[in-house]
Amino acid sequence: MKKLGVAVIGTGFWGKNHARVYKELDSTELIAICDANAERAKTMAVQLGVKAYTNSTRMMKNERIEAVSVCTWSTSLAKEALKALSAGKHVLVEKPMATNTKQAKRLLAKAEENKLHFTVGFLMRFIPGVQHIREAVANKEIGELVCATAKRVSQWPERIGDVGVVKDTAIHDIDVMQFVYNTDPMAVYAKTGNMRHRKFEDYAQIMLTYEGGKSAFIESNWLTPYKTRTLTVTGSDAIMRLDYITQEVWIEAAKENRQPKYPWQEPLKLELQHFADCITKKEKPLVTGEDGFKALKIAEAALLSSEKNKAIKLM
Ligand SMILES: NC(=O)c1ccc[n+]([C@@H]2O[C@H](COP(=O)([O-])OP(=O)(O)OC[C@H]3O[C@@H](n4cnc5c(N)ncnc54)[C@H](O)[C@@H]3O)[C@@H](O)[C@H]2O)c1
């Protein structure tokens, strides 16, 4: 079977994992990597036995590269993704996809115009427990959905200096709520602030409201000295809980508690395998560009809500 030729732009903390996984997958061949930091690009390329670039424009000329992961700083994701789409490459762009929804719209249009696969790095959707919860909600296994609470807190990873906790971290949970509720929120109300970060918010509490009185609550910060990443979904008959770190799921009802067992799997591996499969089989991805756009739109509305101290209508 012919392997899909891939490349990674930005091989810092996260991009180097994309490069490693592409090397590990049977269906992909890592052709090259690109990082603006020449020393980093060279070290990574030697480790992986591929060609190094410091400028993606030159790398895009390589016709063996069919698809790329864009893992640069959040503020340069859109520019690099647009370059790749314009060069005719399929793209997986990391979250938050762009600095703002205006840039994000341009990416959707370019992918559509050039008929390319385009997806956003919301890898939580690939965790089997998250998929279990989505299905259980859809099948009303926990009765009527009432609310969901997500908590994603830890210390500030200081390398992140170009966006705040909403577009960097809470956006994962915004997308998970989109996935689990399978409908868009009507409004968002948020409180954000900064304790340590000089430029951007480092804590956020976000409330989303849905038709029929349902709601979701997201707590995110870079202040908590330990890492917690959880999701709790309350239904009229039972509660489901997920620990993103261990990937354990619990279903708790008045009469019975269950713990469906899923062996731990690397979400990034599932995500990149899916990306390659969708391109090869010409299938729609689990996370569409439109999903990325919607999550960014909600994140922007949350920031505006906090600034204006009022709920922002989304529809
Ligand atoms: N999906 C996830 O769970 C997840 C996890 C971590 C990070 N991310 C995302 O991945 C991206 C990278 O995060 P990180 O933590 O690896 O940051 P990082 O600072 O460690 O790495 C970014 C790298 O990109 C390089 N770079 C920046 N602009 C470039 C350009 N125009 N061309 C080539 N290289 C460029 C930098 O030199 C650096 O090596 C961010 O957008 C972040 O939101 C996603």
Side-chain angles (χ1 to χ4, degrees):
M1 192 188 75
K2 186 194 157 292
K3 293 188 178 203
L4 183 78
V6 293
V8 177
I9 308 175
T11 51
F13 165 79
W14 193 236
K16 68 177 186 312
N17 288 318
H18 278 246
R20 169 185 54 80
V21 169
Y22 282 134
K23 280 291 273 192
E24 288 170 4
L25 292 177
D26 289 335
S27 54
T28 55
E29 180 186 355
L30 184 69
I31 312 269
I33 58 105
C34 170
D35 199 291
N37 178 326
E39 195 54 42
R40 183 170 290 169
K42 201 171 142 202
T43 311
M44 281 302 300
V46 169
Q47 258 176 35
L48 297 161
V50 298
K51 198 164 163 39
Y53 292 86
T54 51
N55 179 326
S56 63
T57 308
R58 284 187 50 225
M59 186 173 82
M60 293 305 163
K61 294 199 173 111
N62 186 331
E63 286 180 4
R64 289 178 61 218
I65 299 170
E66 297 162 88
V68 299
S69 277
V70 181
C71 309
T72 59
W73 298 310
S74 294
T75 42
S76 54
L77 291 171
K79 185 171 142 246
E80 290 301 326
L82 192 64
K83 252 200 244 179
L85 291 167
S86 304
K89 316 293 182 193
H90 304 292
V91 169
L92 184 159
V93 63
E94 264 308 336
K95 54 84 196 165
M97 162 184 200
T99 314
N100 53 54
T101 45
K102 201 172 153 204
Q103 290 178 348
K105 262 267 172 278
R106 230 176 288 148
L107 298 181
L108 298 193
K110 186 54 82 178
E112 174 86 28
E113 181 191 327
N114 288 358
K115 302 204 171 3
L116 292 163
H117 284 261
F118 180 59
T119 186
V120 182
F122 284 129
L123 82 174
M124 300 302 138
R125 289 192 184 206
F126 293 88
I127 295 173
V130 173
Q131 298 192 349
H132 182 114
I133 289 175
R134 174 180 155 104
E135 274 167 38
V137 167
N139 300 334
K140 299 199 187 295
E141 280 171 40
I142 55 165
E144 288 300 323
L145 176 62
V146 178
C147 64
T149 306
K151 190 173 175 118
R152 193 172 295 268
V153 298
S154 62
Q155 279 183 324
W156 175 28
E158 291 191 29
R159 67 178 189 285
I160 302 167
D162 58 348
V163 286
V165 77
V166 172
K167 286 184 183 170
D168 181 85
T169 307
I171 199 160
H172 273 303
D173 300 300
I174 291 173
D175 180 65
V176 166
M177 295 307 179
Q178 291 287 102
F179 191 51
V180 168
Y181 279 68
N182 201 19
T183 185
D184 297 334
M186 293 189 318
V188 56
Y189 180 70
K191 278 282 167 207
T192 70
N194 56 324
M195 287 282 181
R196 293 203 193 122
H197 207 303
R198 260 172 275 122
K199 209 162 153 204
F200 293 102
E201 79 287 349
D202 53 20
Y203 65 88
Q205 286 80 242
I206 302 170
M207 187 168 180
L208 303 168
T209 57
Y210 298 84
E211 257 173 27
K214 299 179 181 61
S215 60
F217 183 78
I218 297 167
E219 180 188 2
S220 265
N221 76 47
W222 288 331
L223 303 170
T224 307
Y226 51 85
K227 197 165 163 175
T228 299
R229 292 170 175 207
T230 56
L231 174 67
T232 304
V233 180
T234 302
S236 52
D237 299 341
I239 285 175
M240 284 185 294
R241 288 189 296 119
L242 168 83
D243 184 324
Y244 285 104
I245 299 169
T246 62
Q247 297 186 1
E248 287 171 292
V249 187
W250 295 268
I251 303 172
E252 296 162 338
K255 289 195 181 132
E256 182 202 24
N257 291 345
R258 284 193 300 122
Q259 195 178 3
K261 292 280 179 219
Y262 292 104
W264 191 92
Q265 295 188 66
E266 186 180 1
L268 185 61
K269 207 164 205 168
L270 299 171
E271 180 186 62
L272 298 188
Q273 179 69 66
H274 176 77
F275 177 50
D277 287 347
C278 284
I279 294 169
T280 315
K281 297 177 188 160
K282 299 188 175 20
E283 283 172 2
K284 191 179 162 195
L286 184 64
V287 185
T288 62
E290 187 67 27
D291 291 327
F293 173 81
K294 282 184 182 176
L296 188 56
K297 183 176 157 197
I298 296 168
E300 279 185 347
L303 290 168
L304 184 68
S305 164
S306 181
E307 188 192 318
K308 303 273 184 212
N309 193 25
K310 63 174 195 182
I312 304 292
K313 282 195 179 146
L314 293 162
M315 45 173 65

